[in-house]
Amino acid sequence: MDFNDTPQEAEFRAEVKAWLKANVPDQNQEVASAYSSRQNQAEALAKAKQWQAKKAAAGYAAITWPTELGGLGGTPMQNVIYADEESKYVVPRGFFDIGLGMCIPTLIKHGTDAHRQRYVKPALYGEEVWCQLFSEPVAGSDLAGIRTRAEKDGDDWILNGQKIWTSGAHHADYGIIVTRSDPAVPKHQGLTFFFLDMKSPGVEVKPIKQISGGRNFNEVFFTDVRVPDSQRLGGVGEGWKVSLTTLMNERLSAGRTLDADMVEFIAMIKTFTMEDGSPAIKNADVRGKLADWYAQGQGLKYTRFRTMTALSKGQTPGPEASIGKCVSASRSQDYAAFAMELMEMGGVVTDPDHSPQQGFFPESWILSPAMRIAGGTDEILRNIIAERVLGLPGDVRVDKDMPFNELPTGA
Amino acid sequence: MNFDFSNEQKMLKDQARKFLQDQCSSTVVRQVLEGEMEYASHVWQEMAQMGWQGTCIPEAYGGAGLGYLELCVLAEEVGRSLAPIPFSSSVYLAAEALLSAGSEAQKSHWLPKLSSGEAIGVLALAEGAGAPVESHLQCQFSGGQLTGKKMPVLDGPLADVAIVVAKDGETGGVSLVLVDVADSSVQTEPLTTVDPTRPQAIMTFNNTPAECLGAPGKGWGLLTQLFNKAAVLLAFEQIGGADAALQMARDYALGRYAFGRQIGSFQAIKHKLADCYIKNELARSNTYFGAWALSTNARELPLAAATARVSATQAFEFAAKENIQTHGGMGYTWEFDCHLYYRRAKLLALSLGSALTWKNRLVDQLEQPSAA
Ligand SMILES: Cc1cc2nc3c(=O)[nH]c(=O)nc-3n(C[C@H](O)[C@H](O)[C@H](O)COP(=O)(O)OP(=O)(O)OC[C@H]3O[C@@H](n4cnc5c(N)ncnc54)[C@H](O)[C@@H]3O)c2cc1C
């Protein structure tokens, strides 16, 4: 048991360190993050694209992908080493995660050589942005209940309907979409999967304002949108299977949330006193909670290490990999709320100039509810753990074998 | 990175599991519960033949001279089986105390006996309810004699040798003192506790001949180090127990029907057990890190031990109580094994100091300027 790099890993780490040192732009600028509510989105995206292009040229944008797809042909361990080193810097994050984490892997797996030739590289270099058009107003957790229609017309399909909560659709060039091609069969059987140009006639994107005040997700309307049959991924009626590829990748990439540094957290708490003048850090309630969050945070960290160990031995990671987001989302909601409580009346202040740690805690507090919903809700993830890991029975499904168009809808 | 046990260690773990399944089923645990025997002496002896008690004791003292990682995997299986044996007292505490602080004479006298299972060692710290505090200890050691009362002493009724934490008359500090329990001045009275599968005692010393273990007056520091090591090992027992309790709840949830379906299909049950699984995995990961820190004697050991201890305690207690809940009325019967886990989880949660105490230690560590 050790955490040491092998000689090859150490060599790779040294290369990465040197590269980051030479290439990360100016450290003083504000972090360009896709989910921050504060910055100008277009500017942030432009910066992110520049950074992505540099990373891709060096091979670090897709370390584990084969070289013929623009990757480095590297190991999962190298991927971790890169992420580890990059996390020490302030660099743009979050704009390409959906595209490179979910959309392109789905295209690589289910697309043709021609698709791979044409789309993978521009996505890697940040030249083309992708979005994931899955959720609809009627169906989020119950993804197989979506209704956006796809009807065959010659060599094309005609799409009509609506998606919602589509992150980044407002700056996306392409999207992957799951549609209903046959409403007369049970719900999982009537789905077909495509990718499409977001500039296609009939596609309309309307940003939705979030509780954070930001506008990162959207409604996307489809009115007689033509998609060539050549952009179908997987067979007609096999869209569910293809969606699962995307969702599997989602679970692998999910779970990396912004985390409070416990040592900094404690440094901040040391500056607070309780009403009776006693130091907050000596308060039993405070200490108990800090210990819990620290233990959870370390538990997540070392669970990741176990997963990585399995990967680096060429094994499939065990089910422990599924718990990350489930824990980290509500954990950050809890500690952010508690940090605000310790700030007492001042806890409401979000102005970075007047809130401890530049308003990190109120920002986490307002962002954390999204983490508990996006990419599978807390409840759905617990169902998954109970069913796939513990082998408990699936939910009773009244809709499984009924034709989709005969299902009750609540509407 | 290689954050896992080696294949040899995993094989050892499998062997241990099989052995305990065969030799130490819950029928055996129940014999101790019912007072039919004081502890599972046949299991203890067979373990000794396989060298478990001497896992970390050097060959020169009759041990196997293996490392802490081997002891960790054994501890997990001991925890899983709820083995009613004084493993933690004799191996993680008494033998470890001797190894780290004993004189050559003390080691040569006691370690071979502890290693062969012929002698059982215990640690006596508590003096009733409330956290033991360095300056408040009543037990007194001076002029080579020990006087006072310790309560509860885990595995006390089985002890041949006790390591007693006492006020040191000469230095005014606290010393660890070594007592041969066979001495006629030592009185051992059995005590009823929440977990009768591990006997406990009130031990009274009355001018009992004793000798210092390690430097006089330096006992509190030694004790802290000892507890950091033992916390990791005990955390392995806890995750073993937690896994077993979850497994039991899961099996019952699959077999029991209500409202025309398996109770395991109700989300209230599924989510509860998913939470149990999550806590167990986080605890397992922290406990593995503790094992790494223990086996490399890392600077991080105090923080790693507290972290492992806190999460393993929470995981086992949660799994044990929700296992009862999942069983409904059956879970509250003497006949079902649910209470064995519930009892053991509480015993282990308190035996090296409560989660409250360890959370405090954890935050103390984080407050250090060098905190990782
Ligand atoms: C910030 C953010 C970004 C997003 N980005 C995207 C994106 O890029 N692309 C995309 O396609 N989607 C995206 N989503 C949508 C997201 O996937 C869905 O919101 C999510 O799957 C939940 O679906 P829903 O909103 O329809 O809620 P519902 O499914 O209606 O759920 C409502 C509540 O019911 C519970 N519930 C539902 N079914 C069950 C069940 N079987 N058992 C127990 N409880 C249940 C849920 O847990 C939840 O608490 C995003 C969402 C957010 C918040």
Side-chain angles (χ1 to χ4, degrees):
Chain A
M1 190 180 272
D2 67 66
F3 302 99
N4 303 334
D5 287 338
T6 62
Q8 293 93 316
E9 286 164 359
E11 194 181 314
F12 182 75
R13 190 183 295 278
E15 281 168 27
V16 168
K17 269 186 196 276
W19 185 83
L20 285 167
K21 194 160 181 237
N23 287 281
V24 174
D26 173 16
Q27 280 298 291
N28 298 324
Q29 67 191 356
E30 202 192 342
V31 198
S33 150
Y35 273 94
S36 173
S37 50
R38 292 207 195 107
Q39 62 214 335
N40 175 315
Q41 284 274 307
E43 257 175 48
L45 177 63
K47 277 185 191 158
K49 283 187 167 193
Q50 279 171 16
W51 172 242
Q52 187 67 20
K54 265 194 194 175
K55 242 171 104 165
Y60 296 137
I63 289 169
T64 56
W65 295 7
T67 43
E68 58 276 19
L69 291 173
L72 207 58
T75 63
M77 240 2 260
Q78 290 180 326
N79 205 19
V80 175
I81 290 171
Y82 180 83
D84 201 30
E85 294 301 326
E86 198 199 63
S87 72
K88 296 173 185 164
Y89 288 88
V90 174
V91 295
R93 290 180 215 283
F95 287 96
F96 307 104
D97 292 355
I98 291 175
L100 298 178
M102 294 184 250
C103 304
I104 299 294
T106 307
L107 182 107
I108 291 176
K109 175 144 184 218
H110 297 281
T112 62
D113 274 341
H115 291 148
R116 287 183 280 267
Q117 287 282 330
R118 161 63 187 84
Y119 295 103
V120 174
K121 199 169 163 222
L124 258 189
Y125 278 73
E127 290 157 12
E128 291 173 353
V129 179
W130 286 66
C131 66
Q132 176 200 11
L133 298 151
F134 278 24
S135 305
E136 294 187 7
V138 292
S141 304
D142 182 14
L143 177 59
I146 55 103
R147 294 193 195 159
T148 294
R149 283 285 279 132
E151 284 161 303
K152 192 79 192 289
D153 182 39
D155 282 344
D156 290 342
W157 292 78
I158 313 271
L159 270 48
N160 279 291
Q162 184 199 341
K163 296 289 174 177
I164 196 169
W165 322 127
T166 319
S167 300
H170 52 302
H171 48 233
D173 301 289
Y174 292 91
I176 52 173
I177 184 166
V178 56
T179 64
R180 184 155 308 276
S181 48
D182 186 355
V185 295
K187 64 180 187 177
H188 291 93
Q189 295 163 29
L191 303 175
T192 299
F193 203 106
F194 303 93
F195 70 90
L196 65 88
D197 186 340
M198 291 297 283
K199 312 275 169 347
S200 309
V203 176
E204 189 190 357
V205 177
K206 286 192 184 160
I208 304 172
K209 189 168 180 178
Q210 295 155 198
I211 69 169
S212 62
R215 294 168 196 273
N216 309 102
F217 58 27
N218 304 271
E219 292 180 286
V220 184
F221 296 90
F222 299 86
T223 313
D224 294 329
V225 176
R226 278 194 176 267
V227 178
D229 189 54
S230 61
Q231 292 180 196
R232 176 165 45 77
L233 298 176
V236 175
E238 286 176 4
W240 182 246
K241 212 174 80 190
V242 184
S243 306
L244 289 181
T245 306
T246 316
L247 297 177
M248 296 278 275
N249 279 292
E250 178 158 43
R251 272 169 215 132
L252 284 180
S253 60
R256 288 188 223 126
T257 42
L258 71 173
D259 196 5
D261 179 323
M262 278 295 148
V263 174
E264 277 179 32
F265 194 178
I266 285 179
M268 179 185 81
I269 293 174
K270 279 184 171 168
T271 67
F272 297 144
T273 47
M274 309 303 285
E275 199 195 20
D276 64 3
S278 63
I281 190 68
K282 295 300 169 201
N283 179 281
D285 212 17
V286 171
R287 296 175 78 81
K289 290 192 153 137
L290 281 174
D292 285 341
W293 290 319
Y294 180 79
Q296 271 183 340
Q298 293 296 101
L300 288 173
K301 172 174 167 188
Y302 293 114
T303 298
R304 264 193 310 274
F305 282 16
R306 285 167 60 205
T307 303
M308 290 314 147
T309 299
L311 283 173
S312 78
K313 289 181 182 166
Q315 300 159 351
T316 325
E320 70 277 355
S322 60
I323 68 182
K325 190 179 88 83
C326 225
V327 178
S328 59
S330 43
R331 174 173 172 269
S332 68
Q333 187 168 36
D334 291 349
Y335 70 60
F338 191 68
M340 291 163 75
E341 217 172 298
L342 285 170
M343 296 176 207
E344 292 285 343
M345 285 169 253
V348 295
V349 178
T350 52
D351 186 330
D353 296 334
H354 299 285
S355 168
Q357 298 194 11
Q358 293 80 49
F360 173 83
F361 292 103
E363 172 98 350
S364 297
W365 174 80
I366 201 79
L367 293 179
S368 57
M371 284 301 304
R372 296 184 54 196
I373 299 165
T377 64
D378 282 2
E379 291 75 19
I380 293 296
L381 294 179
R382 280 177 171 76
N383 283 348
I384 290 173
I385 292 172
E387 291 167 26
R388 310 242 176 98
V389 180
L390 300 175
L392 294 172
D395 274 2
V396 172
R397 295 242 165 99
V398 284
D399 57 353
K400 214 167 82 193
D401 303 315
M402 274 164 83
F404 182 73
N405 53 14
E406 290 172 23
L407 294 177
T409 61
Chain B
M1 180 177 317
N2 184 13
F3 187 48
D4 196 4
F5 289 93
S6 69
N7 287 339
E8 291 73 27
Q9 287 153 356
K10 288 180 184 165
M11 268 166 56
L12 178 66
K13 181 172 156 158
D14 285 346
Q15 283 166 7
R17 188 180 304 195
K18 284 202 194 82
F19 166 75
L20 288 162
Q21 268 166 1
D22 293 347
Q23 300 297 316
C24 197
S25 66
S26 76
T27 315
V28 174
V29 182
R30 283 172 170 279
Q31 286 172 330
V32 178
L33 176 77
E34 303 290 1
E36 291 161 26
M37 53 188 187
E38 234 179 351
Y39 74 111
S41 55
H42 65 287
V43 175
W44 185 250
Q45 276 151 20
E46 284 194 44
M47 278 182 173
Q49 261 157 31
M50 297 185 289
W52 290 17
Q53 286 91 329
T55 306
C56 291
I57 297 177
E59 284 164 284
Y61 301 110
L66 296 169
Y68 284 115
L69 295 178
E70 282 74 19
L71 190 53
C72 287
V73 300
L74 294 177
E76 182 177 341
E77 296 312 314
V78 168
R80 187 186 311 278
S81 67
L82 303 174
I85 49 168
F87 202 67
S88 63
S89 299
S90 201
V91 180
Y92 320 154
L93 292 168
E96 284 299 322
L98 277 156
L99 272 173
S100 60
S103 68
E104 191 47 48
Q106 290 165 338
K107 290 199 276 193
S108 331
H109 182 72
W110 285 112
L111 286 176
K113 291 187 179 141
L114 292 177
S115 172
S116 68
E118 178 193 337
I120 289 170
V122 299
L123 180 91
L125 167 63
E127 299 181 352
V133 179
E134 186 177 8
S135 53
H136 293 15
L137 289 181
Q138 298 292 313
C139 243
Q140 184 84 19
F141 174 66
S142 61
Q145 294 191 328
L146 177 70
T147 297
K149 197 188 218 179
K150 290 290 183 183
M151 199 263 312
V153 181
L154 178 57
D155 300 311
L158 311 174
D160 299 293
V161 56
I163 289 154
V164 183
V165 188
K167 188 126 240 167
D168 187 80
E170 268 111 72
T171 64
V174 162
S175 294
L176 298 186
V177 300
L178 195 64
V179 177
D180 187 336
V181 179
D183 191 89
S184 61
S185 64
V186 181
Q187 237 192 326
T188 304
E189 264 176 83
L191 195 57
T192 57
T193 69
V194 295
D195 184 7
T197 67
R198 293 284 296 277
Q200 305 230 19
I202 305 175
M203 285 184 120
T204 315
F205 309 97
N206 195 353
N207 295 324
T208 302
E211 47 185 74
C212 242
L213 185 71
K218 302 285 184 211
W220 201 256
L222 291 171
L223 185 71
T224 306
Q225 287 170 19
L226 185 64
F227 271 23
N228 285 336
K229 293 180 180 175
V232 173
L233 296 162
L234 212 59
F236 273 93
E237 288 201 11
Q238 290 171 308
I239 59 169
D243 255 9
L246 170 57
Q247 191 68 37
M248 186 179 176
R250 172 208 177 256
D251 291 348
Y252 191 78
L254 285 173
R256 170 77 178 172
Y257 281 69
F259 299 93
R261 46 200 264 220
Q262 289 160 294
I263 60 163
S265 68
F266 296 116
Q267 285 193 354
I269 298 287
K270 287 166 82 168
H271 290 193
K272 184 199 296 302
L273 299 188
D275 283 336
C276 206
Y277 173 80
I278 290 170
K279 284 189 195 323
N280 287 2
E281 287 307 311
L282 295 180
R284 176 171 294 279
S285 301
N286 282 330
T287 302
Y288 281 21
F289 184 62
W292 170 82
L294 175 63
S295 67
T296 57
N297 196 19
R299 181 178 60 78
E300 292 91 337
L301 179 61
L303 182 55
T307 308
R309 172 84 181 143
V310 167
S311 52
T313 295
Q314 289 172 339
F316 194 11
E317 291 215 277
F318 185 78
K321 73 179 177 165
E322 299 308 332
N323 182 33
I324 295 184
Q325 187 65 19
T326 303
H327 280 72
M330 275 301 177
Y332 199 64
T333 62
W334 189 260
E335 190 190 335
F336 264 62
D337 287 344
C338 303
H339 68 124
L340 302 182
Y341 294 101
Y342 191 60
R343 292 173 186 283
R344 182 61 63 82
K346 187 53 86 187
L347 171 73
L348 297 187
L350 301 182
S351 53
L352 287 178
S354 71
L356 199 60
T357 294
W358 284 93
K359 284 182 187 183
N360 245 322
R361 288 187 195 169
L362 191 162
V363 179
D364 280 345
Q365 290 297 322
L366 287 178
E367 283 188 78
Q368 310 278 316
S370 63

